[in-house]
């Protein structure tokens, strides 16, 4: 589905022609259309159909469903519909809260999604609040030397940069760089974005 998404999507469609309620095909069709092909409207048709089926089956109080809601939120976020993205992110958070999963790495990354949505909406205070929450969760878990922590530090730096606090932004970016260097994650898209952000901070400082 990653290397031949059109072919994958055509087979998911054939599966759904046989059984239009077949959940694995609906979910995979939605994720493939959104994440690989940038066909967000098409993806959301499949994902919302899957959502309705899961609700009708009372399968909405699980960690898997929370992950599913997050992915719907990502599709709306990529489409630019930030209010709907936030609704799905918040639904996912609420499910995790109910399951007592607040002190987990996945929960921390959920906070990062919410932070990014608020930043896109221009609500920098809320964005920073969720980024800091995300960082604190991973610190409590002792996961500072991980790719997830590097990602969260980069996002925290972006939040500070958006607020004009370039010194804090730079410290966060440098922390993220040091972690990625230790983990051998230099040849990645995320590392390139991080280098660009560090360059932007130095440029803004003259």
């Amino acid at each position: 589905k990653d290397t031949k998404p059109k072919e994958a999507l055509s087979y998911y469609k054939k599966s759904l022609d046989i059984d239009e309620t077949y959940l694995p095909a609906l979910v995979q069709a939605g994720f493939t259309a959104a994440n690989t092909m940038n066909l967000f409207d098409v993806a959301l048709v499949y994902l919302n159909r899957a959502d309705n089926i899961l609700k009708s089956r009372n399968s909405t109080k699980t960690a898997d469903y929370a992950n599913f809601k997050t992915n719907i939120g990502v599709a709306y976020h990529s489409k630019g519909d930030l209010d709907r993205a936030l609704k799905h992110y918040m639904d996912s958070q609420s499910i995790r809260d109910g399951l007592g999963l607040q002190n987990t790495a996945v929960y921390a990354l959920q906070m990062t999604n919410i932070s990014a949505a608020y930043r896109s909406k221009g609500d920098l205070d809320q964005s920073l609040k969720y980024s800091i929450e995300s960082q604190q969760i991973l610190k409590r878990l002792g996961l500072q030397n991980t790719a997830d922590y590097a990602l969260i530090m980069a996002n925290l730096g972006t939040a500070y940069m958006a607020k004009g606090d370039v010194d804090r932004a730079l410290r966060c970016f440098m922390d993220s760089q040091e972690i990625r260097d230790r983990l051998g994650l230099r040849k990645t898209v995320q590392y390139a974005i991080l280098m660009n952000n560090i360059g932007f901070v130095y440029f803004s400082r003259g």
Side-chain angles (χ1 to χ4, degrees), residues 94-134:
S94 178
I95 295 166
R96 296 181 202 280
D97 287 342
L99 295 171
L101 298 176
Q102 298 94 327
N103 203 39
T104 62
V106 174
Y107 195 89
L109 292 174
Q110 180 65 47
M111 297 297 97
T112 297
N113 287 328
I114 295 172
S115 171
Y118 275 120
R119 186 168 65 250
S120 296
K121 283 173 66 70
D123 191 337
L124 302 181
D125 289 333
Q126 282 290 89
S127 176
L128 188 58
K129 169 192 167 187
Y130 280 97
S131 285
I132 291 171
E133 278 190 47
S134 180

Side-chain angles (χ1 to χ4, degrees), residues 47-94:
L47 294 175
N48 285 323
R49 279 170 58 187
D51 196 16
N52 290 332
I53 292 168
L54 287 166
K55 287 175 179 174
S56 71
R57 295 177 182 176
N58 294 319
S59 302
T60 60
K61 302 297 182 183
T62 65
D64 285 342
Y65 186 72
N67 292 335
F68 175 72
K69 293 292 279 185
T70 294
N71 282 303
I72 296 180
V74 169
Y76 275 115
H77 196 157
S78 299
K79 186 175 182 286
D81 191 337
L82 300 174
D83 289 332
R84 286 189 180 178
L86 268 173
K87 180 185 182 306
H88 286 285
Y89 291 155
M90 293 299 189
D91 286 347
S92 177
Q93 180 187 2
S94 178

Side-chain angles (χ1 to χ4, degrees), residues 12 21 30 42 69 86 100 103 110 113 117 125 146 170 172 178 199:
Y12 297 141
T21 66
V42 172
K69 293 292 279 185
L86 268 173
N103 203 39
Q110 180 65 47
N113 287 328
D125 289 333
T146 62
L170 184 60
C172 292
E178 287 177 10

Side-chain angles (χ1 to χ4, degrees), residues 1-2 4-14 29 32:
K1 68 183 180 181
D2 293 326
K4 295 184 178 179
K6 288 184 179 179
E7 289 86 341
L9 189 57
S10 71
Y11 279 101
Y12 297 141
K13 289 178 178 177
K14 288 177 183 178
T32 299

Side-chain angles (χ1 to χ4, degrees), residues 177 180-181 185-195:
Q177 181 187 3
R180 293 177 194 276
D181 287 345
L185 299 175
R186 293 174 64 90
K187 294 185 178 180
T188 63
V189 172
Q190 290 84 358
Y191 197 88
I193 293 170
L194 181 62
M195 294 299 97

